Amino acid sequence: MSAYETILYAVDPQTRVATVSLNRPERLNTIVPPMPDEVQDAVTRASHDPDVKVLVVRGIGRSFCAGYDFGGGFHHWDEQITTDGAWDPGKDLAFATSQLHAPTQKFMSVWRTPKPVIVQVHGWCVGGGSDFALCGDLVIASEDARIGTPYSRMWGAALSGMWIYRLGLAKAKEHALLGRALSGREAADAGLVNEAVPFAELEATVARRAAQLASIPSSQLAAQKLVVNHAYEQMGLASTQTLGPILDGLMRNTPDARRFVALAQEEGVGAVVQERDGAFGDYSQAPPSEQPDPGNVIEP
């Protein structure tokens, strides 16, 4: 198991599966630097390793990923998006749209690797975390997981565009406008993810799918992944992923959004989440029966 700051990386020589585990469980695996760089590095390592045939991406603790960490005023990205302490729109645009630097593009390494990637989702998989998860080839979720784009309501915009490309027009518009949360079961029924299973069966199901993939020649897997990816890229995926992060930067800096993140810094994320989601009664404002089971934990 190799040492990283925000992830774990391990290869099982028996199954020929590399596992990339987001490892900020105390913060629900929210995204901060250098997580995107470390994910890309691990995916590159697995891509170059002849002993790896399949990658699995998962989250340690009780969630896959609760999106970008905006506690503390989002200052951990200041070097990339601010000048003299103020938001710099030109700097943000250059950072957010660069294939070399943008977090979205680094997470897209799971899309670009010729090896199949299974994303294992449990707990919260929201915001930028859902954008990341949906870049995978197969997405297998716990039935009680909650997947959504709360940034549709405040402080952001679509990043990877994968919600759009995985759903039909009607549902893509619904989630783009309302940001409604889906359970893992609902996400599977809508075609957003491939499969939903009880949490107790999640790891075994992922392992079984990985073993099936590992039994297929790597060249065959690479060819099939390439033709499907190429079809969606021809539909305009790159254009969507250019526009989305530009709009995300703008939506993070409207007067409403600045008040939102300032309140999160002053009173905590819980205060603004309650304000944002209370009228919808979802995410953390949903009754316990409509939230992920906090007892469902993935161990390192």
Side-chain angles (χ1 to χ4, degrees):
M1 187 173 290
S2 299
Y4 287 100
E5 184 180 331
T6 64
I7 70 170
L8 302 175
Y9 177 78
V11 176
D12 185 331
Q14 301 300 316
T15 62
R16 304 185 69 181
V17 173
T19 301
V20 179
S21 303
L22 307 185
N23 190 36
R24 298 185 72 232
E26 74 287 351
R27 297 290 296 171
L28 300 180
N29 297 318
T30 45
I31 301 163
V32 296
M35 184 183 284
D37 301 87
E38 292 187 339
V39 167
Q40 179 175 253
D41 184 79
V43 172
T44 300
R45 290 176 61 181
S47 300
H48 290 162
D49 188 341
D51 293 326
V52 171
K53 292 196 68 176
V54 181
L55 289 78
V56 170
V57 179
R58 64 178 189 163
I60 299 300
R62 59 188 182 91
S63 286
F64 173 73
C65 176
Y68 282 82
D69 190 336
F70 59 86
F74 206 55
H75 291 302
H76 34 260
W77 298 100
D78 277 356
E79 182 178 344
Q80 293 85 0
I81 63 176
T82 69
T83 298
D84 297 330
W87 177 60
D88 183 331
K91 198 171 180 179
D92 195 343
L93 181 147
F95 171 64
T97 60
S98 167
Q99 285 216 351
L100 293 176
H101 303 107
T104 296
Q105 295 302 322
K106 293 179 186 296
F107 288 137
M108 277 287 286
S109 58
V110 302
W111 172 273
R112 297 188 181 105
T113 177
K115 297 181 180 181
V117 179
I118 302 173
V119 179
Q120 174 183 306
V121 169
H122 78 293
W124 298 107
C125 176
V126 299
S130 70
D131 283 294
F132 173 32
L134 297 178
C135 292
D137 300 312
L138 300 182
V139 184
I140 301 176
S142 170
E143 289 180 333
D144 72 318
R146 285 301 183 274
I147 305 170
T149 56
Y151 58 59
S152 294
R153 300 169 185 168
M154 179 65 70
W155 201 74
L159 293 166
S160 71
M162 290 301 178
W163 279 81
I164 299 167
Y165 289 96
R166 284 179 173 263
L167 293 172
L169 175 61
K171 287 297 181 182
K173 277 284 183 70
E174 177 182 336
H175 290 286
L177 294 172
L178 292 173
R180 187 172 67 85
L182 293 170
S183 69
R185 168 50 52 201
E186 290 171 327
D189 291 344
L192 184 68
V193 305
N194 297 86
E195 190 172 358
V197 297
F199 178 79
E201 300 173 17
L202 181 60
E203 291 188 293
T205 301
V206 169
R208 186 165 58 251
R209 294 286 176 261
Q212 291 171 336
L213 289 167
S215 71
I216 299 170
S218 292
S219 57
Q220 192 73 21
L221 294 169
Q224 302 309 317
K225 179 169 179 173
L226 178 63
V227 72
V228 175
N229 282 10
H230 193 65
Y232 278 83
E233 288 162 7
Q234 292 302 302
M235 292 181 197
L237 182 61
S239 296
T240 304
Q241 291 185 348
T242 299
L243 180 60
I246 292 172
L247 294 175
D248 183 74
L250 294 174
M251 292 304 99
R252 282 187 279 104
N253 288 279
T254 64
D256 288 331
R258 290 186 178 187
R259 186 191 68 80
F260 176 86
V261 80
L263 183 61
Q265 185 175 13
E266 294 166 7
E267 300 186 18
V269 171
V272 293
V273 167
Q274 181 178 9
E275 180 181 289
R276 182 192 66 197
D277 302 327
F280 296 88
D282 55 10
Y283 299 105
S284 65
Q285 303 308 296
S289 62
E290 296 177 16
Q291 295 187 40
D293 184 338
N296 291 345
V297 174
I298 296 294
E299 299 295 339

